[in-house]
C-alpha cells in the first residue's frame, strides 16, 4: 500500500477520514471542485488538529508535519499517485457516478476506488469505473477520526485483492473493518435508520418527549447518544436521503421517512450543523 491517499469531498466525513489517515502517517490529497468548500474543509481539519494539540494528543511539530502532508486540489489530475481514492461527497447517486467516471480517467490502474456512501448500492456505483474489481465501499462513521468501525461493503465484482488491501488499509488506520455484502443501506443503516425513524414516529405520536426518548436509549441501552440527538448529529437531510434510497430500493414501509423528519428537512432544520434540528444549538 502506497503512502498517499486521496479524499474527494471535504465535508464532515471527508475531513474526518483525512485526519484519521494523516494521524497514522499517510499523505492526503484533498479534492473539491469548489474552492470555498476546499478552504473550509482544510480549516476544519486544522481546527480538529488544534483541539488534539490542546488535549496533548499530538505535539505542535506533529500537527505541522500532518498539515504539510496535505495537498489541496480542485482537479482530478492530482490523484494519480494515490493508492486509495476515497469518495466522500453528498449522498447523490449522479454526483457520485460523475466523480468516479472522472477519477477513473486519472487514477493509477493499481489504485482502489472506494466510496463512503452510507446507503447506495456498491454494484451501481461500480458501473462508473472501467475496472469494477478495484471498486469497494468503505463506510466510515461520524466522527470519522474517532469511531473505530469501518463497514467494508463488497460488491459483486470486487476482487479478493481489493478486499484484502482495503482490510489492511483500514487496520493501518487503527480502525476495525467489518465485511458485509452489498444491499441498500448495508447493515449499519438498515438497522440505524429504522431505529431513528421509529423514534421520530413515537415523538410525532406524542408517546414521549424527545428528551425522554433519548434518555431511554442512553440509560436503558447504554448508547452514547439517543436516537433523536444522533439524527441531529448525523444531519436530518442525510438521514432522509438514506431512508429515501433504502425505501426506493426495497419498498418496505419501515424505511419511509416519517412526516416530521420530512417537514424539518423542508424547513432547513437539518440538525447540529444548521444550528437547529429537533434540538437547538448555539
Ligand atoms: N467532530 C470531530 N470529533 C469529535 C466530534 C465532532 N463533531 N465530537 C466529538 N469528537 C471527538 C472529541 O474531540 C474526542 O476526541 P478524542 O478522544 O481524540 O479527544 C472524542 O470525540 C470524544 O469526545 P468528547 O469526550 O468531547 O465527547 P463524548 O465522550 O460525549 O463523545 C461522541 C462524543 C464520540 C460523538 C459520542 O457521543 C458518540 O459516540 N456518539 C455516537 C456517535 C455515532 O453513533 N456515530 C455514528 C453515526 S452513524 C454514521 O455516521 C453512519 C451513517 O451512515 C449515517
Amino acid at each position: 500500500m502506497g503512502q498517499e491517499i486521496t479524499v474527494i469531498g471535504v465535508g464532515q466525513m471527508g475531513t474526518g477520514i483525512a485526519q484519521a489517515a494523516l494521524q497514522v502517517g499517510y499523505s492526503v490529497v484533498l479534492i473539491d471542485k469548489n474552492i470555498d468548500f476546499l478552504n473550509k474543509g482544510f480549516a476544519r481539519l486544522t481546527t480538529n488538529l488544534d483541539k488534539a494539540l490542546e488535549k496533548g494528543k499530538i505535539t505542535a511539530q506533529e500537527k505541522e508535519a500532518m498539515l504539510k502532508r496535505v495537498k489541496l486540489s480542485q482537479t482530478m489530475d492530482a490523484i494519480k499517485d494515490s493508492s486509495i481514492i476515497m469518495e466522500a461527497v453528498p449522498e447523490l447517486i449522479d454526483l457520485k457516478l460523475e466523480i468516479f467516471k472522472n477519477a477513473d480517467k486519472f487514477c493509477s490502474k493499481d489504485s482502489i476506488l472506494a466510496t463512503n456512501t452510507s446507503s447506495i448500492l456498491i454494484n451501481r456505483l461500480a458501473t462508473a469505473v472501467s475496472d469494477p474489481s478495484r471498486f469497494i465501499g468503505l463506510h466510515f462513521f461520524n466522527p470519522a477520526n474517532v469511531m473505530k468501525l469501518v463497514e467494508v461493503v463488497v460488491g459483486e465484482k470486487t476482487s479478493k485483492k481489493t478486499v484484502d488491501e482495503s482490510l489492511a488499509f483500514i487496520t493501518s488506520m487503527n480502525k476495525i473493518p467489518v465485511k458485509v455484502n452489498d444491499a441498500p443501506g448495508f447493515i449499519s443503516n438498515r438497522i440505524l435508520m429504522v431505529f431513528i425513524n421509529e423514534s421520530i414516529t413515537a415523538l410525532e405520536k406524542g408517546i414521549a418527549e424527545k428528551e425522554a426518548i433519548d434518555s431511554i436509549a442512553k440509560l436503558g441501552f447504554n448508547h452514547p447518544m439517543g436516537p433523536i440527538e444522533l439524527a441531529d448529529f448525523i444531519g436530518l437531510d442525510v438521514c432522509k436521503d438514506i431512508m429515501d434510497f433504502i425505501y426506493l430500493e426495497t419498498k418496505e414501509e419501515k424505511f419511509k421517512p416519517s412526516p416530521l423528519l420530512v417537514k424539518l428537512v423542508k424547513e432547513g432544520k437539518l440538525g447540529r450543523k444548521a444550528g437547529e434540528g429537533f434540538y437547538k444549538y448555539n
Side-chain angles (χ1 to χ4, degrees), residues 73-90:
S73 175
Q74 286 178 270
T75 52
M76 282 295 180
D77 48 352
I79 75 177
K80 60 181 184 1
D81 297 324
S82 290
S83 52
I84 298 224
I85 316 297
M86 190 68 238
E87 166 275 314
V89 302

Side-chain angles (χ1 to χ4, degrees), residues 12-13 16 19 23 44 48 51-52 55 57 91 116-119 139-147 151 185-186 188-189 192-193 196 223-226 229-230 233-235 238-239 242 272:
Q12 211 165 233
M13 294 307 292
Q19 185 183 345
Q23 282 177 341
R44 189 182 304 114
N48 278 354
K51 281 188 192 152
K55 287 183 189 166
K57 300 210 164 190
E91 216 47 5
N116 182 53
T117 179
S118 32
S119 58
H139 181 204
F140 288 74
F141 290 74
N142 190 16
N145 52 307
V146 174
M147 302 293 281
E151 191 174 29
F186 321 128
S188 55
N189 279 322
L192 180 61
M193 289 304 147
I196 286 178
H223 289 189
M225 283 178 175
E229 55 177 328
L230 181 58
F233 183 68
I234 293 168
V238 176
C239 292
I242 295 172
R272 202 183 270 212

Side-chain angles (χ1 to χ4, degrees), residues 97 120-128 132 135 153-158 181-183 186:
L97 287 169
I120 300 171
L121 291 164
I122 299 309
N123 293 336
R124 190 140 334 139
L125 293 177
T127 60
F135 196 89
V153 191
V154 181
E156 267 166 25
K157 295 189 176 160
T158 310
N181 291 324
D182 197 20
F186 321 128

Side-chain angles (χ1 to χ4, degrees), residues 95-231:
L95 174 66
K96 288 184 190 278
L97 287 169
E98 187 202 316
I99 281 172
F100 278 117
K101 234 179 235 163
N102 198 11
D104 193 47
K105 290 184 204 146
F106 291 95
C107 68
S108 137
K109 294 304 156 218
D110 299 321
S111 62
I112 290 174
L113 292 145
T115 173
N116 182 53
T117 179
S118 32
S119 58
I120 300 171
L121 291 164
I122 299 309
N123 293 336
R124 190 140 334 139
L125 293 177
T127 60
V129 303
S130 51
D131 178 6
S133 77
R134 294 190 285 118
F135 196 89
I136 196 160
L138 298 181
H139 181 204
F140 288 74
F141 290 74
N142 190 16
N145 52 307
V146 174
M147 302 293 281
K148 282 285 172 202
L149 173 67
V150 178
E151 191 174 29
V152 175
V153 191
V154 181
E156 267 166 25
K157 295 189 176 160
T158 310
S159 69
K160 184 175 180 308
K161 180 170 180 278
T162 300
V163 173
D164 289 345
E165 286 181 9
S166 299
L167 295 178
F169 168 62
I170 297 303
T171 308
S172 76
M173 289 174 90
N174 296 328
K175 298 205 177 285
I176 299 169
V178 176
K179 226 166 40 151
V180 304
N181 291 324
D182 197 20
F186 321 128
I187 291 297
S188 55
N189 279 322
R190 284 182 83 90
I191 299 171
L192 180 61
M193 289 304 147
V194 171
F195 177 52
I196 286 178
N197 209 27
E198 186 52 35
S199 306
I200 300 171
T201 302
L203 175 67
E204 207 168 5
K205 287 184 183 224
I207 300 171
E209 298 292 335
K210 55 184 181 299
E211 293 82 1
I213 296 170
D214 283 338
S215 292
I216 284 170
K218 283 189 279 193
L219 301 174
F221 316 144
N222 254 359
H223 289 189
M225 283 178 175
I228 308 282
E229 55 177 328
L230 181 58

